[in-house]
Amino acid sequence: MFLADEIRRLKKERNAVILAHNYQSAEIQELADHVGDSLGLAYRAAETEADVIAFCGVHFMGETAKIVNPGKTVVIPDLDAGCSLSDSCPPEKLAAYLAEHADRNYYVVAYINCSAGVKALSDVICTSGNAVKIVESVPPDRNILFVPDENLGAWVTEQTGRPMTLWKGNCYVHVEFTRQSIEKIRAEYPDAPVVAHPECTQAVRLLADEVCSTEKMVGYCKNSPAGAFIIVTESGMLHRLRREIPDKTFIPGPTDHCACADCRYMKMNTLEKLRDCLRDLSPQILIPEDLRARAEAPIRRMLELSRT
Ligand code: 13P
Ligand code: SF4
């Protein structure tokens, strides 16, 4: 039996839903029930009626699905698919920082790209799709500590005017794009708007016509009168855009060394591993209940705030 047919059969047998992030490979996106950004997939995970969630993304995304679905089985194709951004903020370091700066009484806004341990220490979670709205909802008299992405945090401050203390973390993929590499491709395609993810550095964001989450990139490119776009984010996004907007051209933003940028963690997932995790119901995401409950509150706060 073909691998794709086997996955469809197992999905039915397990009453499973397959959620895939926009950075997954083309074959995985084609098989998924829902493809989206972190915010969209967090909603899908919170709303699903399935018994099993197979999350094709990275570890913190599967963990988020489990936090809002403690009664369901959450499997991921590869337990080692982590995230450099999440790794840059270990919970013990955050706890120590908060204790050391207790006088600041920080309101902690955590980008969803973090572990359950960091979520449990936070007041509210945000994604790149709702970060501006979430930060605007923080009581004006509170000092904000934004973790773990200094680039997304700096962009949110530019948008809102709200000063924040920024944790010094970043995404190893998005910081590879440089002013030089984007200026070079822009010179080749002068009519193509540059669309960049807010995890890029300020030097790159300043060159962009639009800075937004991966999901918002789809809407921007659909509604723009332009026929070609330079997409400055992980390469999987190109497949999503080409599939959904087949009449337009999408050019990957290059780095100084490569024609496009791949996230090695996102690309650890394969169809074989997806089949295996559905067949074996392993590897599973398991979280101690007290930690899960503490991590759930700030996610629920985010889901409520971004709905209104
Ligand atoms: P989005 O929420 O925009 O999909 O971003 C997730 C991510 O990991 C970006 O590197
Ligand atoms: Fe993490 Fe960056 Fe990969 Fe996104 S692209 S999962 S932020 S390492």
Side-chain angles (χ1 to χ4, degrees):
M1 196 188 288
F2 287 120
L3 205 45
D5 293 333
E6 209 179 337
I7 291 170
R8 282 191 203 97
R9 178 183 60 78
L10 282 164
K11 195 182 73 142
K12 215 166 168 197
E13 258 175 49
R14 297 291 190 200
N15 186 26
V17 64
I18 301 176
L19 305 181
H21 188 265
N22 287 322
Y23 295 164
Q24 290 298 285
S25 65
E27 313 88 81
I28 291 183
Q29 290 197 29
E30 296 294 327
L31 267 176
D33 295 291
H34 305 288
V35 181
D37 68 350
S38 308
L39 181 60
L41 295 176
Y43 276 120
R44 296 296 183 183
E47 287 158 3
T48 188
E49 304 261 293
D51 297 319
V52 173
I53 300 172
F55 208 118
C56 301
V58 291
H59 190 272
F60 75 81
M61 296 180 176
E63 213 176 40
T64 305
K66 182 68 179 179
I67 291 167
V68 295
N69 283 292
K72 294 190 196 298
T73 301
V74 178
V75 290
I76 56 175
D78 192 321
L79 211 48
D80 291 330
C83 167
S84 71
L85 187 49
S86 176
D87 289 348
S88 64
C89 187
E92 320 74 64
K93 267 199 172 171
L94 176 58
Y97 184 91
L98 290 171
E100 201 185 320
H101 299 88
D103 56 315
R104 300 275 293 156
N105 187 26
Y106 276 122
Y107 192 97
V108 181
V109 180
Y111 184 30
I112 198 163
N113 295 36
C114 65
S115 63
V118 166
K119 288 184 173 79
L121 291 168
S122 304
D123 293 285
V124 69
I125 304 304
C126 73
T127 70
S128 54
N130 64 17
V132 167
K133 193 171 188 185
I134 298 293
V135 166
E136 279 172 344
S137 76
V138 177
D141 59 331
R142 295 291 302 272
N143 297 311
I144 301 177
L145 174 64
F146 188 92
V147 302
D149 190 12
E150 59 181 338
N151 290 308
L152 176 67
W155 176 72
V156 172
T157 290
E158 288 159 22
Q159 303 301 301
T160 59
R162 186 86 192 251
M164 303 194 289
T165 302
L166 306 178
W167 191 266
K168 293 257 161 271
N170 59 48
C171 159
Y172 92 97
V173 179
H174 286 86
V175 298
E176 282 283 299
F177 300 111
T178 64
R179 186 164 64 81
Q180 226 173 293
S181 71
I182 302 307
E183 271 175 348
K184 202 164 159 225
I185 191 93
R186 210 173 51 165
E188 266 181 67
Y189 300 94
D191 297 330
V194 174
V195 184
H197 196 275
E199 287 175 17
C200 294
T201 61
Q202 190 193 37
V204 168
R205 294 196 309 269
L206 286 174
L207 295 174
D209 296 277
E210 178 69 5
V211 177
C212 60
S213 71
T214 57
E215 196 62 33
K216 288 185 183 170
M217 288 182 183
V218 180
Y220 175 82
C221 297
K222 255 186 200 160
N223 297 329
S224 162
F229 302 84
I230 297 166
I231 303 298
V232 190
T233 193
E234 208 270 352
S235 65
M237 191 61 211
L238 279 283
H239 178 71
R240 169 81 199 277
L241 288 163
R242 287 173 181 148
R243 186 179 169 197
E244 216 147 306
I245 319 173
D247 54 327
K248 296 195 180 185
T249 304
F250 299 98
I251 303 140
T255 68
D256 288 334
H257 326 283
C258 272
C260 67
D262 279 330
C263 171
R264 65 171 173 269
Y265 305 109
M266 286 280 179
K267 296 306 193 285
M268 281 180 177
N269 298 328
T270 61
L271 282 189
E272 283 81 5
K273 291 181 196 173
L274 173 58
R275 186 262 325 266
D276 293 353
C277 78
L278 278 167
R279 185 192 57 206
D280 306 338
L281 293 185
S282 169
Q284 267 190 47
I285 302 274
L286 298 168
I287 311 170
E289 177 52 25
D290 61 329
L291 174 63
R292 188 207 64 78
R294 281 183 285 123
E296 184 177 16
I299 297 176
R300 294 280 173 205
R301 196 163 297 136
M302 168 189 81
L303 293 174
E304 257 146 55
L305 283 169
S306 54
R307 229 185 265 276
T308 51

